[in-house]
């Protein structure tokens, strides 16, 4: 089982491989793409005792050096980045070396940014191990760490040389993390692929139950969709922003909760529901569309109401203030991804604060 997608970005083009036999063949991939260049693995420490890590090192060669990174969002910090640079220097990583980023989006973003900046940039490969990173963060070359002023504020667009997705790494992924990735998966259907949303309505439970055949198909569709969007708009000057459906809302929930309590995907899920409902209230889409999305979220048990994320009351004005801090905000005007229906999202550049505030207050906010 395996599939290949080419991300067409002229001299920054690269391939994505999706399958179940990837890790044990990494040595062959390395030879094919990088010949005898030296390599180093930067990995999420949670994977150290896993069968995947053993397979990876066995295939790359027992003398392959590796650097562990602590699990969790906190590792996307200036402190861990500095420590990582030091580790790269002491491991004698040079401009000809290749970094393998082995873990979820946290490792991919951190190692990718280190690769972008270490000695003015060295080659790296994404080896994503969470559903979210396999369908989203490993593709497209956005790399970043967080600042105390907000998430992903220090970063670079820096494309990997290769993305290798071994679906078997999902075997150990906790249910909560599967669901978090699944919220992003639905997003691809909702922005521009209604047929895929209809497929997910039927097969979404198989994805959450880790059916390999369905996972391979769905990951393929998502990566293809992302590759397509990135090809047209590598640096997010336009259409790439559609991928942020649910995210301007979602990021503000994550900030309020200080990135604890619920996963990124759960925050995004509620954000998507709000984007659909707000679109309906602005008479942009039909109530049937909203109801259909809402029903699927019930079926797969994704959050749909603010009290699914927070026990305390959340102020509409606090949400709006946080939305204005979003990277996409220009001149303090909130930019939202709204919908004209399922599979038909668009960028709304100037959302009216008053309408948004009223909408939030009518939907469980204070
Ligand atoms: N660069 C991009 O375009 C982009 C896009 C979306 C999200 N992101 C970033 O990605 C991050 C979220 O990614 P994520 O959800 O993968 O988070 P993550 O890397 O923190 O992984 C989630 C959890 O799963 C664990 N884990 C990883 N692989 C595992 C496995 N195979 N088995 C068991 N546990 C495993 C991790 O230790 C962690 O606890 C955020 O920082 C977000 O900003 C980046
Ligand atoms: Zn996301």
């Amino acid at each position: 089982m395996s599939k290949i997608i080419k991300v067409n970005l002229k001299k920054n083009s690269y391939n994505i491989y999706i399958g179940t036999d990837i890790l044990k063949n990494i040595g062959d991939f390395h030879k094919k793409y990088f010949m005898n260049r030296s390599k180093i693995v930067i990995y999420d420490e949670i994977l150290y005792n896993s069968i995947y890590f053993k397979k990876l090192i066995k295939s790359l060669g027992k003398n392959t050096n590796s650097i562990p990174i602590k699990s969790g969002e906190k590792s996307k910090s200036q402190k861990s980045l500095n420590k990582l640079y030091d580790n790269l220097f002491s491991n004698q990583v040079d401009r000809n070396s290749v970094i393998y980023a082995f873990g979820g989006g946290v490792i991919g973003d951190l190692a990718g940014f280190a690769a972008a900046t270490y000695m003015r940039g060295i080659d790296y490969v994404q080896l994503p191990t969470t559903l979210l990173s396999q369908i989203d963060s490993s593709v497209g070359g956005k790399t970043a760490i967080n600042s105390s002023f907000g998430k992903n504020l220090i970063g670079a667009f820096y494309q990997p040389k290769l993305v290798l997705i071994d679906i078997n790494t999902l075997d150990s992924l906790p249910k909560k993390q599967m669901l978090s990735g699944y919220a992003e998966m639905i997003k691809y259907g909702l922005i521009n692929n209604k047929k895929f949303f209809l497929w997910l309505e039927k097969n979404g439970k198989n994805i959450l139950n880790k059916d390999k055949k369905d996972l391979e198909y769905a990951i393929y569709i998502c990566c293809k969709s992302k590759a397509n969007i990135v090809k047209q708009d590598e640096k997010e000057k336009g259409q790439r922003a559609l991928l942020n459906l649910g995210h301007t809302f979602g990021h503000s929930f994550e900030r309020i909760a200080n990135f604890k309590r619920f996963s990124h995907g759960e925050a995004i899920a509620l954000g998507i529901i709000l984007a659909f409902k707000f679109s309906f209230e602005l008479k942009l889409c039909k109530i049937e569309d909203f109801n259909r999305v809402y029903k699927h979220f019930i079926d797969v048990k994704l959050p749909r109401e603010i009290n699914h994320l927070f026990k305390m009351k959340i102020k509409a004005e606090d949400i709006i203030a946080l939305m204005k801090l979003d990277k996409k905000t220009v001149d303090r005007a909130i930019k939202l991804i709204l919908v004209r229906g399922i599979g038909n999202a668009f960028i709304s550049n100037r959302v009216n604060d008053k309408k948004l505030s009223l909408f939030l207050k009518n939907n469980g906010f204070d």
Side-chain angles (χ1 to χ4, degrees), residues 191-222:
I191 59 180
N192 63 8
N193 191 343
K194 183 165 182 181
K195 197 170 140 211
F196 183 52
F197 178 75
L198 302 185
W199 186 89
L200 287 174
E201 280 186 325
K202 281 209 197 82
N203 303 289
K205 289 208 175 115
N206 297 346
I207 297 291
L208 293 167
N209 291 328
K210 304 182 182 174
D211 176 283
K212 296 277 157 76
K213 195 167 142 277
D214 284 351
L215 268 170
E216 188 185 75
Y217 170 74
I219 292 171
Y220 173 78
I221 296 291
C222 296

Side-chain angles (χ1 to χ4, degrees), residues 117-169:
T117 45
Y118 183 79
M119 296 190 175
R120 299 209 179 93
I122 67 171
D123 289 347
Y124 77 114
V125 175
Q126 289 279 15
L127 289 180
T129 63
T130 61
L131 183 59
L132 182 141
S133 56
Q134 296 186 347
I135 62 168
D136 194 353
S137 60
S138 67
V139 177
K142 274 193 189 176
T143 70
I145 57 166
N146 303 325
S147 136
S148 55
F149 287 84
K151 212 168 131 74
N152 297 331
L153 290 181
I154 304 165
F157 285 98
Y158 191 65
Q159 302 293 340
K161 286 288 170 227
L162 196 58
V163 179
L164 300 173
I165 301 175
D166 193 321
I167 297 171
N168 282 341
T169 57

Side-chain angles (χ1 to χ4, degrees), residues 144-269:
I145 57 166
N146 303 325
S147 136
S148 55
F149 287 84
K151 212 168 131 74
N152 297 331
L153 290 181
I154 304 165
F157 285 98
Y158 191 65
Q159 302 293 340
K161 286 288 170 227
L162 196 58
V163 179
L164 300 173
I165 301 175
D166 193 321
I167 297 171
N168 282 341
T169 57
L170 300 179
D171 286 348
S172 56
L173 195 70
K175 213 172 177 166
K176 194 175 168 78
Q177 296 299 337
M178 282 299 290
L179 199 58
S180 180
Y182 187 74
E184 304 275 7
M185 190 173 262
I186 303 178
K187 182 188 79 180
Y188 287 101
L190 298 177
I191 59 180
N192 63 8
N193 191 343
K194 183 165 182 181
K195 197 170 140 211
F196 183 52
F197 178 75
L198 302 185
W199 186 89
L200 287 174
E201 280 186 325
K202 281 209 197 82
N203 303 289
K205 289 208 175 115
N206 297 346
I207 297 291
L208 293 167
N209 291 328
K210 304 182 182 174
D211 176 283
K212 296 277 157 76
K213 195 167 142 277
D214 284 351
L215 268 170
E216 188 185 75
Y217 170 74
I219 292 171
Y220 173 78
I221 296 291
C222 296
C223 287
K224 218 172 154 58
S225 168
K226 182 139 188 199
N228 234 328
I229 292 177
V230 169
K231 175 179 89 185
Q232 293 163 37
D233 179 22
E234 186 183 354
K235 305 242 162 115
E236 198 167 313
K237 306 253 189 273
Q239 292 301 297
R240 186 167 179 173
L242 291 180
L243 292 167
N244 294 315
L245 175 65
H247 280 64
T248 310
F249 285 113
H251 284 158
S252 64
F253 305 147
E254 288 185 281
R255 284 286 296 277
I256 288 187
N258 211 5
F259 301 98
K260 292 181 191 122
R261 273 187 246 222
F262 42 79
S263 69
H264 173 70
E266 287 171 312
I268 290 337

Side-chain angles (χ1 to χ4, degrees), residues 30-31 33-41 60-61 63-66 88 91-100 118-119 122-125:
H30 187 80
K31 271 196 205 98
Y33 284 87
F34 308 106
M35 290 184 295
N36 56 0
R37 287 166 60 185
S38 69
K39 61 246 165 197
I40 186 147
V41 177
L60 280 176
N63 56 350
T64 305
N65 286 345
S66 56
L88 292 171
N91 276 288
Q92 278 135 22
V93 171
D94 62 27
R95 294 185 96 167
N96 205 32
S97 308
V98 181
I99 287 179
Y100 283 82
Y118 183 79
M119 296 190 175
I122 67 171
D123 289 347
Y124 77 114
V125 175

